[in-house]
Amino acid sequence: MTRILMVLSGVDYWTLADGSKHPSGYWAEEFVVPHRILTQAGFTVDIAAPEGGKPAADPVSLRPEVAGAEAEAFADYIGEAAEALANPVALSAVDAADYDAIFLPGGHGPMEDLAHDPDLGRLLVEADTAGKIIAPVCHGPAALLSANLPGGRWQFTGRTLTVFTNEEERLNGTSDRAPWLVETVLTARGAVVRAAEEAWQANVVVDGNLFSGQNPASSKPLAERIVAALTGR
């Protein structure tokens, strides 16, 4: 049985540059669409979060003017998964050897907690060393920053990936309030970022076992690439 660990932020806010807390969490589409695709493929998907965390969808990601016609369907799916979301597996209790892939949805939440979580860092180092698929999308690559090695080295230095870009953050109206920008920090740590030619365009980048998606529109093709890789299709 193929098992996927889906790691969600455990907070419902994002601390802005001025110190204020902005409602946030995981981005609904980036949880719902991949979760549905992976489970429909017959995979077991376990939801995990930092110990004591309670994953919550960013309220903006469920607004019809943002999510479009899918808004109600996203909310319904989240409602059906309410029990699992309310009782995520604690990252501290997870053994990377039990999973075939780790999926990391975005939203600004991961910048708040996952980027600095030592338990997630341990899991990502173990999974990457074992060649297991690691798949962040949108702001999810912020979580890769937790994978620090002795001496300050970073597990993903030199790897090619994509991420919600500085341009997309600016167009989203959040760049001037952000305490840091994910693309900027990943690049500074040594990642090679490959973005789509145009903002908001779906984009999936694969570098060995590291599969990444640029933005919400990339959620579906990223999940489909994972299914293909794990089923040999």
Side-chain angles (χ1 to χ4, degrees):
M1 175 69 71
T2 300
R3 297 184 66 190
I4 311 294
L5 185 71
M6 183 169 282
V7 180
L8 296 175
S9 168
V11 299
D12 60 1
Y13 63 89
W14 176 39
T15 304
L16 303 180
D18 63 4
S20 63
K21 287 182 167 49
H22 180 71
S24 186
Y26 65 83
W27 198 256
E29 181 176 359
E30 296 164 19
F31 162 67
V32 172
V33 173
H35 191 277
R36 183 169 55 210
I37 289 172
L38 295 170
T39 54
Q40 287 179 346
F43 302 162
T44 296
V45 182
D46 292 335
I47 296 171
E51 191 163 359
K54 297 295 182 184
D58 186 319
V60 173
S61 70
L62 290 170
R63 292 178 184 171
E65 63 269 27
V66 174
E70 295 271 27
E72 185 175 354
F74 289 165
D76 288 345
Y77 194 96
I78 290 170
E80 292 168 3
E83 183 176 352
L85 288 166
N87 299 282
V89 178
L91 289 172
S92 59
V94 176
D95 185 344
D98 293 336
Y99 293 92
D100 300 282
I102 298 176
F103 194 95
L104 299 153
H108 287 107
M111 297 175 67
E112 187 72 29
D113 60 353
L114 299 184
H116 318 289
D117 189 275
D119 292 311
L120 178 58
R122 168 185 59 82
L123 289 172
L124 291 175
V125 170
E126 291 174 355
D128 189 52
T129 301
K132 296 174 184 287
I133 290 175
I134 297 171
V137 61
C138 199
H139 289 87
L144 301 180
L145 295 168
S146 66
N148 295 303
L149 299 168
R153 294 176 299 125
W154 183 46
Q155 180 72 19
F156 298 98
T157 295
R159 302 293 290 278
T160 301
L161 52 78
T162 191
V163 64
F164 196 74
T165 64
N166 291 352
E167 180 188 9
E168 287 169 325
E169 200 78 71
R170 178 182 62 80
L171 293 172
N172 194 48
T174 44
S175 63
D176 59 341
R177 296 180 291 158
W180 50 281
L181 299 174
V182 184
E183 180 185 7
T184 296
V185 175
L186 286 171
T187 301
R189 291 297 304 272
V192 179
V193 175
R194 294 282 181 259
E197 292 183 4
E198 298 181 8
W200 312 119
Q201 183 179 1
N203 179 36
V204 173
V205 172
V206 177
D207 179 359
N209 63 308
L210 181 61
F211 292 44
S212 55
Q214 181 171 324
N215 45 36
S218 308
S219 301
K220 182 175 184 289
L222 177 59
E224 290 173 340
R225 289 290 291 273
I226 294 168
V227 171
L230 290 175
T231 60
R233 294 207 293 256

